[in-house]
Amino acid sequence: MKVLLYFENQKLIAKSGIGRALKLQQKALSYTDVEVTTDPKSRDYDVLHINTYGVKSHYMVNQAHKMGKKVVYHGHSTYEDFRNSFTGSNLIAPFFKRYLVSLYKKADAIITPTPYSKQLLRGYRLSQYIAPISNGIPLEKYAASDEKVKKFRDYFDLSPEQKVVISVGLFFERKGILDFVTLAKKHPEYVFIWFGYTDLRLVPQKISRLIKGNHPRNLIFPGYITGDVIQGAYQGADLFLYPSFEETEGIVVLEALASKQKVLVRDIPVYHHWLADGINSYKAKDVAAFETLMVKILNHELPDLTDAGYQLAVERNLPEIGQQLKRVYQTVLNT
């Protein structure tokens, strides 16, 4: 079996969750006997596994069908998580939804990260086989490392006693960035770091002004950082606080869990099937609840749930994800 993994505009999407998904899929499939190519000119593949939505993606799907190939679409995006992102996104969201549906309808099967996102796609009246498969996590990459933690704390010149709250994401209102800023303003005794980057020309002015400097001194926007520093941040921070309002899964949440980091997320439907409040993570419904739980976690007034959270990452380790992907390919080839 040979699979063509296709990602349009790889450089443009490299800093997003979809961009990271390419590497995760390649790694996951390396644990299987599935032959993988990323060459869009390939013609001898059996299944097109497509992840993006541009004009070239549309062309690739049509070409695959003309050649009698099977198509698996990876449903990373939904109408719900497109809203409250770029400037003007809410205006074009209904059109984006129709476009998404037109693409997804052409697939022989759809893969989407969670049962929640599967439910959303079913709501679009998509009738083909939909498999909820986590994006997965390269567990070994997040193994404990004092050296990486030191690099993180040295990079930001953090003293040993400083307590640090981190989050990771694009500069989207949907990601809860405004609530993160509010928490930083209320608690100057903590250091807040938001990792990630978005071209400020693409986001609303209220977000752009915040990033450019209209934020408290204890809040840092270092941009998009990879390697030991960000991995050290996942391990060496005191809390991963993710206030996103809408996700299809949240790769960064998996990265925090794999790092045995304390996790505090917004109580939204995408987490209902796997994150359990007070069992493997903590959940908050609004800023007031985030503040209360954050302070208690940082002051060690709540149970440490990191071992239970880590087990969620173990269940989503890439070798297991690779086998799940392979089963989907086999299913479409047999129908």
Side-chain angles (χ1 to χ4, degrees):
M1 184 195 311
K2 186 174 182 179
V3 172
L4 168 57
L5 285 182
Y6 184 72
F7 284 76
E8 186 174 348
N9 295 323
Q10 290 185 28
K11 290 184 179 179
L12 188 65
I13 64 172
K15 297 177 181 180
S16 68
I18 296 178
R20 291 206 296 281
L22 170 59
K23 293 181 179 179
L24 293 173
Q25 288 169 20
Q26 287 177 306
K27 183 70 172 177
L29 290 169
S30 72
Y31 295 104
T32 72
D33 58 358
V34 175
E35 184 181 353
V36 175
T37 180
T38 57
D39 180 7
K41 296 179 180 179
S42 175
R43 293 293 181 269
D44 63 342
Y45 64 89
D46 301 294
V47 178
L48 170 65
H49 182 168
I50 188 161
N51 287 261
T52 44
Y53 309 99
V55 175
K56 291 180 181 177
S57 299
H58 211 290
Y59 171 80
M60 289 296 294
V61 172
N62 291 338
Q63 284 297 106
H65 280 309
K66 286 180 182 178
M67 293 187 289
K69 311 293 188 182
K70 296 292 186 177
V71 175
V72 173
Y73 227 114
H74 213 116
H76 298 286
S77 294
T78 64
Y79 161 80
E80 287 76 8
D81 74 2
F82 183 77
R83 297 179 75 252
N84 297 316
S85 52
F86 299 103
T87 300
S89 62
N90 289 7
L91 290 174
I92 64 173
F95 303 99
F96 178 70
K97 179 181 179 180
R98 285 201 286 272
Y99 180 67
L100 273 185
V101 172
S102 72
L103 287 175
Y104 289 159
K105 278 185 174 178
K106 294 185 177 184
D108 297 286
I110 301 172
I111 295 172
T112 194
T114 55
Y116 168 71
S117 52
K118 175 181 177 178
Q119 177 186 338
L120 292 179
L121 296 182
R122 282 283 182 244
Y124 303 168
R125 298 182 179 177
L126 295 165
S127 58
Q128 65 266 68
Y129 174 55
I130 302 178
I133 299 176
S134 170
N135 286 298
I137 190 80
L139 204 59
E140 74 286 347
K141 181 178 176 181
Y142 298 92
S145 168
D146 292 339
E147 181 182 351
K148 290 179 181 178
V149 171
K150 185 177 186 304
K151 285 185 178 180
F152 156 63
R153 297 195 76 90
D154 287 350
Y155 185 92
F156 291 101
D157 194 25
L158 299 167
S159 64
E161 68 275 6
Q162 280 181 312
K163 292 184 177 180
V164 184
V165 179
I166 67 166
S167 199
V168 181
L170 300 171
F171 298 150
F172 291 167
E173 187 172 351
R174 169 177 66 83
K175 292 290 185 180
I177 193 169
L178 298 179
D179 285 353
F180 196 79
V181 173
T182 297
L183 291 168
K185 287 179 179 177
K186 288 188 170 188
H187 289 276
E189 70 274 25
Y190 305 139
V191 175
F192 291 76
I193 306 175
W194 183 286
F195 292 93
Y197 172 79
T198 306
D199 188 329
L200 295 181
R201 292 171 296 182
L202 302 177
V203 299
Q205 275 197 347
K206 62 181 176 180
I207 302 292
S208 178
R209 284 195 295 265
L210 282 174
I211 306 304
K212 288 178 178 177
N214 187 23
H215 58 258
R217 294 181 63 183
N218 62 318
L219 172 56
I220 304 169
F221 291 105
Y224 183 77
I225 294 179
T226 60
D228 289 353
V229 172
I230 184 65
Q231 291 169 31
Y234 276 122
Q235 295 176 30
D238 297 280
L239 175 64
F240 177 80
L241 191 153
Y242 196 56
S244 178
F245 288 90
E246 183 69 34
E247 296 290 323
T248 52
E249 180 177 39
I251 290 178
V252 294
V253 176
L254 277 179
E255 291 171 340
L257 294 170
S259 305
K260 294 191 174 182
Q261 178 57 259
K262 298 178 179 67
V263 170
L264 172 58
V265 299
R266 191 178 301 275
D267 189 3
I268 53 177
V270 69
Y271 303 130
H272 289 179
H273 292 278
W274 59 294
L275 290 182
D277 186 32
I279 303 298
N280 48 41
S281 59
Y282 289 102
K283 297 180 180 180
K285 291 187 179 296
D286 52 31
V287 174
F290 270 116
E291 181 180 16
T292 298
L293 288 167
M294 176 186 74
V295 172
K296 286 184 176 181
I297 292 168
L298 294 177
N299 289 332
H300 307 288
E301 295 171 3
L302 290 173
D304 186 334
L305 310 177
T306 52
D307 286 341
Y310 179 74
Q311 289 308 307
L312 294 177
V314 171
E315 294 165 10
R316 291 158 177 77
N317 199 11
L318 290 184
E320 171 57 28
I321 300 304
Q323 295 303 322
Q324 293 179 34
L325 294 174
K326 179 182 175 181
R327 287 195 287 272
V328 173
Y329 304 149
Q330 289 173 328
T331 297
V332 296
L333 288 173
N334 292 333
T335 55

